[in-house]
Amino acid sequence: MGVIRKKSGARGTEGGCKYICDVCSADVTSTVSIQTARFACDGLPAKFRPKVRIHCADLECVDYDLCVPCFSQGNSSRDHKPSTHSFSVIEQHSIPIYDPDWGADEELMLLEGAEIYGLGSWADIADHIGGFRQKDEVRDHYIKTYVETKNFPLPDRADPYDSSLTDEVPRDEFQARKKRRIEERKEAQKNPPPAAPKQKPTASGPTCHEIGGYMPGRLEFETEIHNDAEEAVQHMQFDPGEGNMNPRTGTVEPEFELKMAIMDIYNSKLTGRAQRKKSIFEHNLLEYRRYQALDKKRSKEERELLNKSKPLIRITNNTDFQALTQGLEYEHNLRQAIAQLQDWRHHNIGDLKTGDKYEAEKVLRLARPAPTGAFDRLPGSRPPKPPVQTETPQSVQQLVAPELPERLKSSLRPASASAATLTNGTSKSAAHTTSALTPSSVLPNNNRSPQPNGTNVTTNGINGSSPTALLPRVTYTPLPIPGTNPLKLHPNDASDLHLLTAEEKELCSALRLLPKAYLVMKEALLREATRQGGGLKRKAAREVMRLEPPRSHRVWEFLVRGGWIGRN
C-alpha cells in the first residue's frame, strides 16, 4: 500500500496521512527524505525531487505510489506494470485556495475525514488532517468556509479561475508559515502546562474506586462489553500475498474473504465497546455514589422515568441529557399536580388551603385501621391489608401548595408587574384576567369579583386617558331568552365551568351558552376591542361572535357593563 493512516494515541498531534513508495519505501509525502536521496538519480533535476509522487491510475493497482527516482528507473513491485499502466503525477497542493491559513491538501483531507468519520467527529477529522490541527480549529474552519457562505453549499472562492488568494499568499511564504506553525505547536506539546492533580488514586485496588472491576490507571474494565471478541481473531494469520487475485479464477480466495469478514465483525465490536466507554466517561457514570444519593431523593415514578430514558445516553451529551431528564421530571410532576387539582374540583374543593386540609385528612383516614366486626374475630379470618399510600414527590406538593415558593413566584410573575403589585402578588392588570379565568372561590375575599376599569387602571392595553369612554362597573343581571329555559351547568357536564365567575355562570345559564364557547367569544371580543382602541360597537361584536342578535347583544352588554370593553 502506498498510503499509511498515521493514528496517534494523543489528540492534536502530527497524525495525518503518509505516502510511501511501494518499491523503496521512501517517504514521498512532502519532501525528499534520506532514503529518497539515497536512491535518487544523479542526473535527475533538483526541481523534480521534492513534493512530487507518481500514482498508478490503473484499476489493478490500488493506492500504488512511486517516488520519482524509482519511476524514472522503471522499478516496480507486485502487479504494477510500468509499460502498460497509466499514471498520474501528483504534486503537493500546499497552496491556499479558500483560507489564507489552510492549504488545498488540508482542505482535501478535511473533506475526506468528514466522509470517513462523519460530521461532528472533529477530533478524528483533526487527526486525519494532521499538522497539529485542533478539533475546535477544524470545526470553526468548516463552518466558516463551507456553511456560512454566500454560495452555500460551495465556498466563496469555489470558482476554479479565482486565483486571488494564491496570488496574495505565494507558495513559499505559505509553506514557511505552515512549517513555523507546526514547529511551534510541536514545541508547545513538548512542554505542556502542569496537569491538574488527580482526584482519585490510579491504583486498581477494590478500595480505590467506586465501581468494582474498573481500573482507573488503564481506563478499562475487567469485563468489557463483547469480552470474547478477541477469541475469533487470536489464531488468525495472514500470509504474504494472500489477498492477491487468483490468476486462474480472477477472484480472491474465499478463505481470505472469510477472514476479512471476521475482521470487520471484530472491528465493529471494538467500535461499539469504545462508544460505550466514551458515554460512561462523558456522563460521569463512574460516580456511582453521587447518582445513588440523587436516586434516593426521587420518587418511585421519577426513578422509573429516569431508567426508561437512560438508553438515550448513547446519542446525547451530558448537558442535553440532563436538560431532557429535568424536563421529563417537571412534566411528570405537572401531570400529577393537575390530576390532584382535578380530584379536588371533583369533590367541590375551591381553594388550595381546603385542598391541603383534605389531603391531610385523607392520609389520616387511610392510616386508620378498619373496624372489625363479629365475624372478623373468628380464627380463620384475616384482617385486611392496609392500603398502600402513594408517595407524593416534594416538587408536586410545591406546585399545589397554598403559598408558592419564591422561585416559582419569580418565574410566574411578569417582569413588568414588579413595580405595581397587589397583596396576593399579582399586578392590577393581571387581576382582571385572573378574576375572569379563575373561579371566585379560589380568589381571596378582596378579589372575588373583577376590578373596575377606572381611569387609574390599565386594561386591554389602554389607560384612563384613552378617548374611548369606559363605563364604571355596574351589576348586570342578564334576562333569559323568551321561550327558552335556563341551562343547568354542572362541573361534571360542562368543562371549564370553574374558570367563570358567578355572574358569568349566571349569564351562560340564562343564554344557554357552554363555558368554553363563552370564553372563546370573550377572548375574541377583547382582542378586537384592544385593536380598535378599547371600544367596540354592537354590530362589530355580533360579527365577531357569530351569534343571533338576542344572545350576542346580551353578551356585549354584559362586557360593557362589567367594564371589560368600552362603548363606541
Side-chain angles (χ1 to χ4, degrees), residues 130-191:
F132 294 90
R133 292 288 187 183
Q134 303 294 332
K135 61 176 184 179
D136 297 337
E137 180 184 7
V138 174
R139 180 194 62 216
D140 296 341
H141 173 73
Y142 181 85
I143 295 176
K144 177 183 177 182
T145 306
Y146 297 97
V147 179
E148 298 176 353
T149 60
K150 300 178 181 178
N151 302 327
F152 180 81
L154 297 177
D156 291 336
R157 296 186 175 93
D159 189 0
Y161 299 101
D162 186 5
S163 60
S164 58
L165 192 59
T166 307
D167 299 338
E168 180 182 352
V169 183
R171 179 192 296 268
D172 297 337
E173 180 182 352
F174 177 78
Q175 292 180 355
R177 188 189 306 171
K178 179 180 179 180
K179 182 178 181 181
R180 192 183 315 113
R181 173 179 55 83
I182 293 176
E183 291 178 354
E184 290 176 356
R185 296 189 178 183
K186 184 183 297 185
E187 195 67 24
Q189 192 176 23
K190 290 181 180 179
N191 302 321

Side-chain angles (χ1 to χ4, degrees), residues 17 20 98 101 122 140 157 181-182 211 228 303 322 375 378 387 395 412 429 434 445 454 457 477 480 510-511 535:
C17 290
I20 62 173
Y98 301 145
D101 295 332
W122 303 114
D140 296 341
R157 296 186 175 93
R181 173 179 55 83
I182 293 176
I211 306 297
D228 301 333
R303 288 193 295 268
Q322 294 297 334
F375 294 98
L378 297 178
S395 55
L412 295 177
S429 59
T434 306
N445 294 330
V457 184
T477 303
L511 301 182

Side-chain angles (χ1 to χ4, degrees), residues 56 58 66 71 74-76 79-87:
C56 181
D58 197 272
L66 292 173
F71 176 75
N75 298 332
S76 63
D79 297 335
H80 180 64
K81 298 178 181 179
S83 59
T84 58
H85 287 187
S86 57
F87 63 91

Side-chain angles (χ1 to χ4, degrees), residues 170-434:
R171 179 192 296 268
D172 297 337
E173 180 182 352
F174 177 78
Q175 292 180 355
R177 188 189 306 171
K178 179 180 179 180
K179 182 178 181 181
R180 192 183 315 113
R181 173 179 55 83
I182 293 176
E183 291 178 354
E184 290 176 356
R185 296 189 178 183
K186 184 183 297 185
E187 195 67 24
Q189 192 176 23
K190 290 181 180 179
N191 302 321
K198 297 182 178 180
Q199 300 294 334
K200 297 181 180 180
T202 57
S204 297
T207 60
C208 295
H209 45 80
E210 302 174 358
I211 306 297
Y214 172 64
M215 296 175 285
R218 301 175 58 180
L219 299 179
E220 294 180 356
F221 296 88
E222 292 182 1
T223 304
E224 299 278 358
I225 187 172
H226 304 303
N227 200 42
D228 301 333
E230 286 77 9
E231 295 183 357
V233 296
Q234 61 180 350
H235 300 299
M236 188 178 297
Q237 295 181 356
F238 289 90
D239 298 330
E242 186 175 358
N244 298 337
M245 302 287 291
N246 192 343
R248 297 180 180 178
T249 61
T251 58
V252 182
E253 295 295 335
E255 183 179 359
F256 178 77
E257 294 181 353
L258 177 62
K259 290 182 179 180
M260 295 305 298
I262 295 176
M263 290 300 298
D264 291 340
I265 297 174
Y266 173 65
N267 290 331
S268 64
K269 291 183 178 180
L270 292 184
T271 303
R273 182 188 300 177
Q275 290 177 352
R276 285 169 173 80
K277 290 172 65 175
K278 180 182 178 181
S279 300
I280 292 175
F281 297 146
E282 184 178 359
H283 291 267
N284 300 324
L285 298 182
L286 296 176
E287 301 179 4
Y288 179 75
R289 294 180 182 176
R290 183 171 69 89
Y291 284 99
Q292 191 176 24
L294 293 176
D295 286 340
K296 291 181 179 179
K297 299 180 181 179
R298 298 186 177 97
S299 63
K300 181 180 178 181
E301 293 80 4
E302 291 177 349
R303 288 193 295 268
E304 293 178 355
L305 185 64
L306 181 62
N307 292 332
K308 290 180 181 180
S309 61
K310 281 183 178 179
L312 300 176
I313 289 179
R314 297 178 56 185
I315 59 176
T316 57
N317 54 30
N318 190 19
T319 305
D320 295 343
F321 181 74
Q322 294 297 334
L324 175 63
T325 53
Q326 291 176 4
L328 291 176
E329 290 180 3
Y330 186 64
E331 179 190 4
H332 175 71
N333 296 333
L334 283 178
R335 290 181 181 274
Q336 284 191 339
I338 292 173
Q340 187 172 0
L341 292 175
Q342 290 177 347
D343 181 50
W344 292 358
R345 188 179 67 181
H346 179 72
H347 291 85
N348 295 329
I349 298 176
D351 52 43
L352 298 178
K353 291 184 179 180
T354 308
D356 192 10
K357 182 180 178 181
Y358 166 76
E359 291 296 331
E361 294 178 354
K362 182 179 179 181
V363 172
L364 294 177
R365 186 168 59 253
L366 293 176
R368 188 182 308 161
T372 58
F375 294 98
D376 295 334
R377 298 187 180 92
L378 297 178
S381 62
R382 295 182 180 180
K385 296 182 179 180
V388 180
Q389 299 183 7
T390 58
E391 181 183 1
T392 305
Q394 186 69 19
S395 55
V396 177
Q397 296 178 359
Q398 292 178 356
L399 292 174
V400 296
E403 297 294 336
L404 290 179
E406 293 298 329
R407 61 180 183 84
L408 292 180
K409 287 182 180 180
S410 59
S411 61
L412 295 177
R413 184 185 299 120
S416 60
S418 59
T421 56
L422 297 176
T423 57
N424 61 347
T426 59
S427 63
K428 293 184 178 181
S429 59
H432 303 290
T433 307
T434 306

